[in-house]
Amino acid sequence: MLNRSLGELSRGLRNGDFSSVELTRFFLDRIENRGAELNAFISVTAERALDDAHAADRKLRDGGAHPLTGIPYAHKDLFCTEGVATTCGSAMLADFVSPYDAAVSERLNAAGMVMLGKTNMDEFAMGSSNENSFYGAVRNPWDAARVPGGSSGGSAAAVAARLAPCATGTDTGGSIRQPASLCGVTGVKPTYGRVSRYGMVAFASSLDQAGVLAAGAGDCALVLQAIAGFDPRDSTSMDEPVPDYTPPADANIRGLRVGLPREYFGADLDPAIGAVIEQAVAALRQLGCETVEVSLPAMSLSAPAYYILAPAECSSNLARYDGVRYGHRCDAPADCDDLYTRTRAEGFGAEVKRRVLVGTYVLSSGYYDAYYLKAQKARRRIRDDFARAFERADVLVGPASPTTAFRLGEKAGDPVTMYLSDVYTIAVNLAGLPAITLPAGVAGGLPVGMQMIAPHFREQDLFRAGHCYQRETDWHRRMPEGFE
Ligand code: GLN
């Protein structure tokens, strides 16, 4: 069961080799036995999962099943789920039960997928290590003393440990690709506007995008197929046709132009990670790709720009948590100011407060031009750099993270060092591009991910290249010791 692709699970369900109830029980048992040590789940919805599995089995029997019907998944606790708590990793939303489903939840339900539970995450998706969760840190299944990455760390750890065959994630600055890299799984962040943000708790609205984590690229393709597409309830959702993401089994990437951005292979890249990526690039060449060096000169502006824009948007989005409408409310407020102040002081953790403060500052009159406006200009330059690079390359390849999984606590006291975990991922969000992380090797016994970036709405190229690469390699099939 553990190393079957979603396609194989789907065939097994259709052939009657096992039922959805059996499959669901299998993963629920794994969560029960191994979930606590990783702290990957905030809630496990066993009863509902078994009900849904029964319904899926009926559909599989009676016809009308979707290719994903009956397959279990873990859902990042940032997607609203009707009747099931959506905490976003925050004390602010600890008791929040959404009255409606997010678009992504709706679509996964409609496909007949079975939700196992909601995964742990950095509070409001702010973080790179999953140490910012109100529910405690998640542990990396490859080494329990290390972080799984963030903010979709619970999803990445759950998939790596095979507590679920796939999981949802969100990526504002790297939160799917970086934890996928640190946990040795595949993770795809689609083009901005590809997947509806309706019912996704907002962090930075111009950057947030939902995606998928699973063992292989083919698995991610199947789930993205189910969640992608236009939604009039999200004003930034794009009305673009969704192509078939699953490449034919005999797909090839001969002649694919692979751009290697110079800035991704600079002095700050750990040589052991550089060696893994070079080996992966050699494998792509073996498969017939051509490589070409490209440059993204404004790349060094991406972290400074992101850490102005994302906090600015977060300070505005998080203004809604005021103790009036929903979420935490302090006891016995003396007046309105006291209500706001104590509610927010009690409900938010340190990193969220830091972002709200920075965001409010950069948006304040007098500083707006100096920070926010300048950051927007940098964002434009970064976007233009990518457009130029894509004139010479079909995809870009580089590392997804400058380091392998670091130790719990190692960067927790130093926000700037933590922010630099995202140097290879955030430019992609600023430009709104799709990108995938593919497990590509190990360094010091820990997984290393290769990142591949495509032009807007070219997710299919990422899946095709990922499929071809994973047909030749088995890094995506390796499981952490003790979880095989
Ligand atoms: N680590 C980045 C941050 O803390 C990105 C988070 C994300 O993609 N949600 O903002």
Side-chain angles (χ1 to χ4, degrees):
M1 270 324 171
L2 287 185
N3 234 338
R4 293 197 208 193
S5 68
L6 296 193
E8 287 164 344
L9 290 178
S10 178
R11 276 192 291 283
L13 286 166
R14 273 152 204 278
N15 294 341
D17 300 343
F18 43 83
S19 67
S20 174
V21 168
E22 285 167 333
L23 189 60
T24 302
R25 281 224 171 90
F26 174 83
F27 284 107
L28 286 173
D29 283 349
R30 270 184 86 78
I31 295 172
E32 188 170 317
N33 295 330
R34 307 302 302 274
E37 66 199 85
L38 298 176
N39 198 23
F41 283 85
I42 290 175
S43 56
V44 179
T45 49
E47 214 172 292
R48 171 187 147 138
L50 289 168
D51 285 348
D52 290 350
H54 276 291
D57 282 331
R58 277 194 297 278
K59 237 196 214 163
L60 284 158
R61 212 175 36 236
D62 301 344
H66 179 279
L68 291 171
T69 299
I71 296 181
Y73 73 102
H75 209 13
K76 186 172 181 179
D77 205 13
L78 172 154
F79 292 95
C80 285
T81 41
E82 188 182 342
V84 175
T86 299
T87 70
C88 223
S90 181
M92 187 61 91
L93 291 177
D95 298 318
F96 173 62
V97 179
S98 169
Y100 67 96
D101 272 330
V104 169
S105 313
E106 257 173 23
R107 289 189 185 218
L108 295 175
N109 286 340
M113 288 193 82
V114 175
M115 184 176 88
L116 297 167
K118 309 276 306 271
T119 54
N120 202 346
M121 54 179 286
D122 282 304
E123 184 177 8
F124 286 102
M126 298 172 198
S128 308
S129 67
N130 226 300
E131 293 164 295
N132 296 337
S133 170
F134 172 64
Y135 297 89
V138 176
R139 289 168 184 276
N140 190 316
W142 292 87
D143 178 349
R146 293 176 188 269
V147 305
S151 67
S152 311
S155 290
V159 171
R162 304 298 193 266
L163 305 183
C166 60
T168 58
T170 62
D171 193 312
T172 303
S175 280
I176 290 175
R177 291 160 290 150
Q178 186 255 14
S181 182
L182 271 46
C183 288
V185 302
T186 303
V188 66
K189 174 244 178 253
T191 308
Y192 182 75
R194 179 77 290 185
V195 177
S196 171
R197 290 184 296 108
Y198 177 78
M200 253 171 68
V201 177
F203 162 14
S205 305
S206 79
L207 300 158
D208 297 343
Q209 182 59 204
V212 189
L213 300 100
D219 307 325
C220 291
L222 277 174
V223 181
L224 183 62
Q225 194 83 52
I227 61 174
F230 179 60
D231 179 0
R233 295 168 300 181
D234 169 3
S235 61
T236 58
S237 166
M238 294 287 281
D239 196 357
E240 284 278 324
V242 181
D244 189 352
Y245 287 139
T246 300
D250 62 350
N252 73 75
I253 44 173
R254 279 192 290 278
L256 188 79
R257 296 173 304 163
V258 172
L260 304 173
R262 199 175 309 142
E263 294 75 11
Y264 274 76
F265 297 91
D268 42 350
L269 178 63
D270 175 340
I273 293 182
V276 167
I277 304 301
E278 265 164 41
Q279 214 170 38
V281 170
L284 294 174
R285 279 199 204 101
Q286 281 283 317
L287 289 163
C289 294
E290 295 161 22
T291 51
V292 46
E293 193 180 292
V294 296
S295 176
L296 304 167
M299 180 77 185
S300 61
L301 302 177
S302 62
Y306 173 88
Y307 281 100
I308 289 171
L309 297 174
E313 294 187 28
C314 116
S315 73
S316 162
N317 271 327
L318 270 55
R320 73 191 67 176
Y321 304 106
D322 54 9
V324 176
R325 282 161 286 201
Y326 59 98
H328 175 72
R329 180 186 193 140
C330 69
D331 276 339
D335 55 27
C336 212
D337 276 347
D338 185 40
L339 168 70
Y340 297 156
T341 312
R342 272 199 296 128
T343 293
R344 290 167 69 82
E346 292 164 8
F348 290 143
E351 182 60 27
V352 173
K353 287 176 185 160
R354 188 176 297 124
R355 305 268 180 128
V356 170
L357 285 172
V358 170
T360 309
Y361 180 81
V362 299
L363 287 176
S364 56
S365 76
Y367 295 106
Y368 179 90
D369 290 357
Y371 296 107
Y372 185 77
L373 212 59
K374 250 199 195 140
Q376 290 288 29
K377 289 179 180 167
R379 182 174 190 174
R380 183 70 210 197
R381 282 182 55 187
I382 290 160
R383 197 186 154 98
D384 291 348
D385 278 0
F386 276 111
R388 260 190 304 276
F390 284 126
E391 287 170 8
R392 301 179 52 221
D394 301 309
V395 295
L396 305 180
V397 164
S401 161
T403 64
T404 52
F406 44 92
R407 287 203 171 68
L408 285 153
E410 189 178 325
K411 300 188 182 181
D414 181 355
V416 175
T417 311
M418 186 69 91
Y419 294 169
L420 291 178
S421 305
D422 307 320
V423 282
Y424 296 130
T425 48
I426 53 190
V428 167
N429 300 76
L430 290 168
L433 297 166
I436 196 167
T437 293
L438 303 163
V442 290
L446 295 166
V448 174
M450 153 168 72
Q451 181 177 201
M452 194 178 277
I453 308 165
H456 294 113
F457 296 103
R458 297 300 302 181
E459 285 82 358
Q460 62 272 36
D461 296 344
L462 301 176
F463 291 129
R464 182 164 55 99
H467 166 76
C468 293
Y469 176 73
Q470 292 183 337
R471 208 170 43 198
E472 301 297 320
T473 55
D474 72 346
W475 299 111
H476 64 294
R477 294 190 176 278
R478 307 230 179 153
M479 286 182 269
E481 212 183 299
F483 289 93
E484 306 100 322

